[in-house]
Amino acid sequence: MRESLMTQGARWWRHRWMHERAAERAVPPAMAEQLQARVSASEARHSGEIVLCVEAALPNSYLWRAGRETPLPAVIRERALSWFGKLRVWDTEHNNGVLIYMLLAERHVEIVADRGISRHVPDAHWQAVVQHLGEHLQIGDFDSGLTQALQEVSALLVQHFPLQPGEANPNELSNRVVWA
């Protein structure tokens, strides 16, 4: 079903006026450092890789399709998949990378898990993690939401890809928060 012109116009306005620095305001450098430390601590317990990406707004090419050709959630999922590729989250030895993607303009969250971990975790479980993070995102509590999401993703990776005694995770991807 097509969206009304008013809804489409409001979306365009919201995305065009959301400055790129909004991602850094939502997750300021001090919080990003804490999240980076949490990712590092998590990855010391399993062989997986976790990447956090916070994007202020969708590019015009994605906005154009949203609501016209494709439902907005599907467009946001496509954008998350694009970041999954750009950040090379798929390029890990055990195919167990996980991207946690937040789109601020829509207050929407996506989790993209590589095929290694997806074999073990049903989509319904990922959606529950997304819902928990989304609840925090709706009220602007980014720190608690991202921390909880990291804990839940970490628990899944520890369960399915634990490190053996004396084994270390080679840290195949950066642990820094990506502001887009």
PDB file of all heavy atoms in Angstrom, residues 142-157:
ATOM      1  N   PHE A 142      19.858   5.379  24.229  1.00  0.00           N
ATOM      2  CA  PHE A 142      20.734   4.646  23.317  1.00  0.00           C
ATOM      3  C   PHE A 142      21.754   3.799  24.062  1.00  0.00           C
ATOM      4  O   PHE A 142      22.029   2.667  23.676  1.00  0.00           O
ATOM      5  CB  PHE A 142      21.448   5.611  22.371  1.00  0.00           C
ATOM      6  CG  PHE A 142      20.499   6.507  21.634  1.00  0.00           C
ATOM      7  CD1 PHE A 142      20.513   7.873  21.840  1.00  0.00           C
ATOM      8  CD2 PHE A 142      19.580   5.990  20.749  1.00  0.00           C
ATOM      9  CE1 PHE A 142      19.630   8.702  21.174  1.00  0.00           C
ATOM     10  CE2 PHE A 142      18.688   6.810  20.072  1.00  0.00           C
ATOM     11  CZ  PHE A 142      18.711   8.167  20.291  1.00  0.00           C
ATOM     12  N   ASP A 143      22.319   4.322  25.146  1.00  0.00           N
ATOM     13  CA  ASP A 143      23.354   3.606  25.885  1.00  0.00           C
ATOM     14  C   ASP A 143      22.816   2.293  26.451  1.00  0.00           C
ATOM     15  O   ASP A 143      23.387   1.223  26.221  1.00  0.00           O
ATOM     16  CB  ASP A 143      23.916   4.493  27.001  1.00  0.00           C
ATOM     17  CG  ASP A 143      25.159   3.902  27.651  1.00  0.00           C
ATOM     18  OD1 ASP A 143      25.811   3.028  27.051  1.00  0.00           O
ATOM     19  OD2 ASP A 143      25.494   4.332  28.771  1.00  0.00           O
ATOM     20  N   SER A 144      21.703   2.352  27.175  1.00  0.00           N
ATOM     21  CA  SER A 144      21.139   1.126  27.756  1.00  0.00           C
ATOM     22  C   SER A 144      20.706   0.147  26.674  1.00  0.00           C
ATOM     23  O   SER A 144      20.911  -1.057  26.801  1.00  0.00           O
ATOM     24  CB  SER A 144      19.937   1.456  28.652  1.00  0.00           C
ATOM     25  OG  SER A 144      20.346   2.230  29.746  1.00  0.00           O
ATOM     26  N   GLY A 145      20.099   0.671  25.624  1.00  0.00           N
ATOM     27  CA  GLY A 145      19.639  -0.198  24.542  1.00  0.00           C
ATOM     28  C   GLY A 145      20.784  -0.909  23.845  1.00  0.00           C
ATOM     29  O   GLY A 145      20.730  -2.120  23.615  1.00  0.00           O
ATOM     30  N   LEU A 146      21.826  -0.159  23.501  1.00  0.00           N
ATOM     31  CA  LEU A 146      22.976  -0.781  22.831  1.00  0.00           C
ATOM     32  C   LEU A 146      23.705  -1.738  23.763  1.00  0.00           C
ATOM     33  O   LEU A 146      24.150  -2.808  23.336  1.00  0.00           O
ATOM     34  CB  LEU A 146      23.924   0.290  22.301  1.00  0.00           C
ATOM     35  CG  LEU A 146      23.430   1.031  21.075  1.00  0.00           C
ATOM     36  CD1 LEU A 146      24.305   2.247  20.786  1.00  0.00           C
ATOM     37  CD2 LEU A 146      23.396   0.096  19.862  1.00  0.00           C
ATOM     38  N   THR A 147      23.810  -1.379  25.028  1.00  0.00           N
ATOM     39  CA  THR A 147      24.457  -2.267  25.996  1.00  0.00           C
ATOM     40  C   THR A 147      23.690  -3.576  26.120  1.00  0.00           C
ATOM     41  O   THR A 147      24.275  -4.665  26.093  1.00  0.00           O
ATOM     42  CB  THR A 147      24.586  -1.574  27.368  1.00  0.00           C
ATOM     43  OG1 THR A 147      25.410  -0.416  27.213  1.00  0.00           O
ATOM     44  CG2 THR A 147      25.188  -2.500  28.401  1.00  0.00           C
ATOM     45  N   GLN A 148      22.371  -3.493  26.233  1.00  0.00           N
ATOM     46  CA  GLN A 148      21.553  -4.698  26.334  1.00  0.00           C
ATOM     47  C   GLN A 148      21.662  -5.538  25.059  1.00  0.00           C
ATOM     48  O   GLN A 148      21.796  -6.757  25.125  1.00  0.00           O
ATOM     49  CB  GLN A 148      20.089  -4.352  26.604  1.00  0.00           C
ATOM     50  CG  GLN A 148      19.207  -5.581  26.748  1.00  0.00           C
ATOM     51  CD  GLN A 148      17.765  -5.235  27.052  1.00  0.00           C
ATOM     52  OE1 GLN A 148      17.408  -4.089  27.295  1.00  0.00           O
ATOM     53  NE2 GLN A 148      16.915  -6.256  27.039  1.00  0.00           N
ATOM     54  N   ALA A 149      21.618  -4.889  23.902  1.00  0.00           N
ATOM     55  CA  ALA A 149      21.742  -5.618  22.638  1.00  0.00           C
ATOM     56  C   ALA A 149      23.102  -6.316  22.560  1.00  0.00           C
ATOM     57  O   ALA A 149      23.188  -7.476  22.148  1.00  0.00           O
ATOM     58  CB  ALA A 149      21.559  -4.676  21.459  1.00  0.00           C
ATOM     59  N   LEU A 150      24.162  -5.609  22.959  1.00  0.00           N
ATOM     60  CA  LEU A 150      25.496  -6.222  22.972  1.00  0.00           C
ATOM     61  C   LEU A 150      25.532  -7.435  23.890  1.00  0.00           C
ATOM     62  O   LEU A 150      26.120  -8.466  23.538  1.00  0.00           O
ATOM     63  CB  LEU A 150      26.548  -5.212  23.430  1.00  0.00           C
ATOM     64  CG  LEU A 150      27.061  -4.249  22.393  1.00  0.00           C
ATOM     65  CD1 LEU A 150      27.905  -3.164  23.047  1.00  0.00           C
ATOM     66  CD2 LEU A 150      27.864  -4.986  21.346  1.00  0.00           C
ATOM     67  N   GLN A 151      24.915  -7.328  25.059  1.00  0.00           N
ATOM     68  CA  GLN A 151      24.894  -8.452  25.995  1.00  0.00           C
ATOM     69  C   GLN A 151      24.155  -9.648  25.393  1.00  0.00           C
ATOM     70  O   GLN A 151      24.607 -10.789  25.516  1.00  0.00           O
ATOM     71  CB  GLN A 151      24.249  -8.033  27.319  1.00  0.00           C
ATOM     72  CG  GLN A 151      25.091  -7.080  28.117  1.00  0.00           C
ATOM     73  CD  GLN A 151      24.342  -6.476  29.302  1.00  0.00           C
ATOM     74  OE1 GLN A 151      23.115  -6.514  29.381  1.00  0.00           O
ATOM     75  NE2 GLN A 151      25.098  -5.889  30.229  1.00  0.00           N
ATOM     76  N   GLU A 152      23.028  -9.391  24.752  1.00  0.00           N
ATOM     77  CA  GLU A 152      22.241 -10.479  24.170  1.00  0.00           C
ATOM     78  C   GLU A 152      22.961 -11.125  22.996  1.00  0.00           C
ATOM     79  O   GLU A 152      22.992 -12.353  22.878  1.00  0.00           O
ATOM     80  CB  GLU A 152      20.859  -9.969  23.759  1.00  0.00           C
ATOM     81  CG  GLU A 152      19.998  -9.586  24.960  1.00  0.00           C
ATOM     82  CD  GLU A 152      18.602  -9.113  24.577  1.00  0.00           C
ATOM     83  OE1 GLU A 152      18.017  -9.693  23.640  1.00  0.00           O
ATOM     84  OE2 GLU A 152      18.107  -8.177  25.226  1.00  0.00           O
ATOM     85  N   VAL A 153      23.556 -10.316  22.125  1.00  0.00           N
ATOM     86  CA  VAL A 153      24.310 -10.858  20.992  1.00  0.00           C
ATOM     87  C   VAL A 153      25.529 -11.608  21.499  1.00  0.00           C
ATOM     88  O   VAL A 153      25.844 -12.712  21.019  1.00  0.00           O
ATOM     89  CB  VAL A 153      24.703  -9.735  20.006  1.00  0.00           C
ATOM     90  CG1 VAL A 153      25.696 -10.235  18.970  1.00  0.00           C
ATOM     91  CG2 VAL A 153      23.456  -9.162  19.330  1.00  0.00           C
ATOM     92  N   SER A 154      26.210 -11.056  22.489  1.00  0.00           N
ATOM     93  CA  SER A 154      27.383 -11.704  23.070  1.00  0.00           C
ATOM     94  C   SER A 154      27.019 -13.071  23.650  1.00  0.00           C
ATOM     95  O   SER A 154      27.737 -14.059  23.443  1.00  0.00           O
ATOM     96  CB  SER A 154      27.992 -10.818  24.157  1.00  0.00           C
ATOM     97  OG  SER A 154      29.143 -11.417  24.690  1.00  0.00           O
ATOM     98  N   ALA A 155      25.912 -13.132  24.378  1.00  0.00           N
ATOM     99  CA  ALA A 155      25.484 -14.415  24.966  1.00  0.00           C
ATOM    100  C   ALA A 155      25.263 -15.468  23.881  1.00  0.00           C
ATOM    101  O   ALA A 155      25.637 -16.642  24.046  1.00  0.00           O
ATOM    102  CB  ALA A 155      24.220 -14.212  25.795  1.00  0.00           C
ATOM    103  N   LEU A 156      24.673 -15.061  22.767  1.00  0.00           N
ATOM    104  CA  LEU A 156      24.448 -16.010  21.662  1.00  0.00           C
ATOM    105  C   LEU A 156      25.775 -16.475  21.063  1.00  0.00           C
ATOM    106  O   LEU A 156      25.950 -17.660  20.755  1.00  0.00           O
ATOM    107  CB  LEU A 156      23.584 -15.363  20.585  1.00  0.00           C
ATOM    108  CG  LEU A 156      22.133 -15.110  20.977  1.00  0.00           C
ATOM    109  CD1 LEU A 156      21.453 -14.221  19.951  1.00  0.00           C
ATOM    110  CD2 LEU A 156      21.389 -16.427  21.143  1.00  0.00           C
ATOM    111  N   LEU A 157      26.708 -15.537  20.886  1.00  0.00           N
ATOM    112  CA  LEU A 157      28.005 -15.906  20.322  1.00  0.00           C
ATOM    113  C   LEU A 157      28.801 -16.785  21.284  1.00  0.00           C
ATOM    114  O   LEU A 157      29.467 -17.738  20.853  1.00  0.00           O
ATOM    115  CB  LEU A 157      28.786 -14.655  19.932  1.00  0.00           C
ATOM    116  CG  LEU A 157      28.241 -13.935  18.700  1.00  0.00           C
ATOM    117  CD1 LEU A 157      28.838 -12.536  18.576  1.00  0.00           C
ATOM    118  CD2 LEU A 157      28.502 -14.749  17.443  1.00  0.00           C
TER     119      LEU A 157
END
